[in-house]
Amino acid sequence: MSEARVDLHTHSTASDGSLAPAELVRAAARREVTLLALTDHDTTAGLAEAADQCAAAGIRFVPGVEATCQWREREIHVVGLAMDAAHPALQDHLRAVLGLRRARLAALCARLDALGLPGSAIHTECAALAAPTRTHVARALVMHGAAADLEEAFERWLGRKGRAWVRAEWPELAVAVGAIKAAGGIAVLAHPHRYRCSGGQLRELCAAFSAAGGRAIEVSLAGMGPGDTASACSLARRFDLAGSLGSDFHDPGLPWRPLGRFVKLPEGITPVTALLDCAPRPGS
Ligand code: AMP
Ligand code: MN
Ligand code: MN
Ligand code: MN
């Protein structure tokens, strides 16, 4: 395990990544990844293609998803790993979230129209996507010349302080964890360092996550500093959660999220891979 290159958090064109699932797997193979999860936002549409390509490349594949949800009105992401992607409880859940995504897209594009930007055109471009995200809208805004790059598109228009910000009512954290569990998956609290919570709030979040059946927390993700990892490890120990790791890779053009970056889990943390080994495998 210590020599394995593990990446358990990645995105493809099935959500807001820029590589198709098979391309993502080929890029992972070039980086000598041996264990890979595809975890697109609220969709499992890319998993079959990624699984096939992993089989061809000799990479062990973990089916995954990154479920958008909320806890105390704060947006939280939960990565599901090694679930039965076809399970009806999971698919029903994801269908509902994708419905919320489409409704938010329409509201957001209406705001863009009201701001004199080509919201209707962007809506037409994005509405057909299985999992429309703000990243798609940001790319379209850049294409239409309304922002120089994605960062500016979020800052000026789409981010929390942007002029076209629309708040979505995502499903509750416990509901998302429940759907992943029902499908036999391991629920992992994603990127705890990004929630802008106090230490006390993070502990309450982890308590709620654990009570709902969450099993692991990301302790080593690209973009996490040593202090972030130390805090996440202390949460892992306190709430008896395993540690997960990955890149949150979206695009080869974003070098600060390198696919398959090689990291070691800190001492004293149970690797989430130990839980994956006993999780039911798809098809078994
Ligand atoms: P959504 O889940 O539709 O709200 O879209 C959020 C996605 O936008 C995240 O998964 C990130 O990939 C991306 N994102 C969020 N903030 C930024 C930012 N400031 N710059 C670039 N991408 C961002
Ligand atoms: Mn994303
Ligand atoms: Mn996320
Ligand atoms: Mn992600």
Side-chain angles (χ1 to χ4, degrees):
M1 179 66 237
S2 64
E3 294 306 313
R5 281 199 179 196
V6 177
D7 196 330
L8 297 176
H9 188 151
T10 67
H11 296 272
S12 75
T13 47
S15 66
D16 61 349
S18 65
L19 300 184
E23 290 174 317
L24 172 82
V25 172
R26 284 194 288 272
R30 285 194 295 276
R31 298 180 69 95
E32 296 173 11
V33 171
T34 53
L35 178 62
L36 178 73
L38 176 62
T39 56
D40 275 308
H41 298 287
D42 305 308
T43 178
T44 58
L47 296 181
E49 181 181 320
D52 285 352
Q53 193 64 37
C54 276
I59 294 176
R60 186 174 156 205
F61 181 63
V62 177
V65 68
E66 183 173 12
T68 311
C69 55
Q70 65 183 15
W71 172 76
R72 295 188 184 165
E73 301 188 357
R74 215 180 268 277
E75 184 177 315
I76 303 292
H77 292 179
V78 175
V79 165
L81 295 176
M83 69 287 173
D84 168 10
H87 194 285
L90 180 66
Q91 288 302 330
D92 286 351
H93 177 78
L94 297 179
R95 203 171 300 115
V97 180
L98 293 175
L100 295 171
R101 281 195 170 276
R102 275 186 280 279
R104 182 187 59 161
L105 176 71
L108 200 160
C109 289
R111 292 234 173 152
L112 291 174
D113 274 334
L115 290 162
L117 291 164
S120 299
I122 293 175
H123 187 259
T124 306
E125 290 164 30
C126 296
L129 295 165
T133 70
R134 283 181 298 157
T135 308
H136 296 104
V137 178
R139 286 189 195 126
L141 285 170
V142 172
M143 290 255 295
H144 286 277
D149 53 26
L150 293 191
E151 206 55 50
E152 188 186 316
F154 276 89
E155 205 169 295
R156 289 185 69 185
W157 312 111
L158 307 174
R160 211 171 305 267
K161 294 188 178 148
R163 295 182 66 196
W165 165 253
V166 175
R167 196 180 173 280
E169 284 288 337
W170 303 111
E172 288 298 321
L173 173 77
V175 173
V177 171
I180 291 165
K181 266 184 66 178
I186 307 288
V188 183
L189 185 64
H191 43 64
H193 62 302
R194 288 201 211 138
Y195 296 132
R196 278 174 294 212
C197 284
S198 67
Q201 287 169 326
L202 268 180
R203 286 192 290 278
E204 289 175 36
L205 168 61
C206 286
F209 176 70
S210 177
R215 305 282 305 281
I217 181 171
E218 289 181 339
V219 298
S220 186
L221 198 75
M224 267 180 148
D228 297 324
T229 290
S231 308
C233 285
S234 118
L235 291 167
R237 292 192 193 95
R238 187 175 183 130
F239 295 96
D240 196 22
L241 298 169
S244 191
L245 66 168
S247 60
D248 201 4
F249 173 86
H250 282 71
D251 186 331
L254 304 176
W256 54 92
R257 287 188 186 171
L259 181 63
R261 91 197 233 285
F262 185 35
V263 285
K264 284 207 166 92
L265 283 182
E267 290 294 314
I269 299 295
T270 306
V272 73
T273 48
L275 306 183
L276 295 178
D277 286 335
C278 37
R281 302 272 181 87
S284 64

